[in-house]
Amino acid sequence: MGELVFTEKQEALVKESWEILKQDIPKYSLHFFSQILEIAPAAKGLFSFLRDSDEVPQNNPKLKAHAVKVFKMTCETAIQLREKGKVVVADTTLQYLGSIHRKSGVIDPHFEVSF
């Protein structure tokens, strides 16, 4: 795989987006997950906090917490790519994330939902 290049403009866009997202995480997380489920309805079963509901619950604290982690990690990754040219995540964090996703049955194609 070739080296990933992340421009200053791309980093700035992600940082700007994070500043907007963190102002209203519940609103944006609901929108984000609603879009995923509209594009890939079967993905709902992969989220333990969505699996047993008929819709994406607006005030679901687990949805909010998950979205914060996803949005924050995306922002931190953008900064690392720009500053270091690579992403460094603690081994324990990667192991934990991998084990959770594996237990949930998540596979590579599940990450390819396009907007």
Side-chain angles (χ1 to χ4, degrees), residues 5-71:
V5 178
F6 201 73
T7 67
E8 191 174 331
K9 182 177 180 179
Q10 288 171 315
E11 178 192 9
L13 287 170
V14 173
K15 284 181 177 179
E16 182 181 322
S17 296
W18 171 242
E19 290 303 315
I20 294 167
L21 289 170
K22 71 182 183 179
Q23 291 175 21
D24 196 344
I25 293 287
K27 173 184 169 185
Y28 295 116
S29 62
L30 176 65
H31 179 72
F32 178 75
F33 284 100
S34 294
Q35 289 291 307
I36 288 174
L37 297 176
E38 185 177 312
I39 294 165
K44 186 175 185 181
L46 298 172
F47 297 98
S48 61
F49 49 85
L50 297 177
R51 196 175 296 137
D52 298 326
S53 68
D54 292 332
E55 58 186 50
V56 180
Q58 291 187 356
N59 296 314
N60 184 320
K62 291 180 180 180
L63 173 67
K64 178 182 175 184
H66 186 73
V68 169
K69 288 177 194 173
V70 170
F71 295 161

Side-chain angles (χ1 to χ4, degrees), residues 52-105:
D52 298 326
S53 68
D54 292 332
E55 58 186 50
V56 180
Q58 291 187 356
N59 296 314
N60 184 320
K62 291 180 180 180
L63 173 67
K64 178 182 175 184
H66 186 73
V68 169
K69 288 177 194 173
V70 170
F71 295 161
K72 187 173 183 185
M73 189 175 286
T74 300
C75 185
E76 290 171 352
T77 300
I79 293 167
Q80 285 186 27
L81 278 173
R82 181 70 184 135
E83 291 176 355
K84 301 174 185 171
K86 63 182 179 177
V87 177
V88 180
V89 181
D91 286 342
T92 53
T93 302
L94 280 178
Q95 289 172 352
Y96 173 73
L97 288 173
S99 69
I100 295 295
H101 284 86
R102 185 172 183 197
K103 285 178 190 173
S104 298

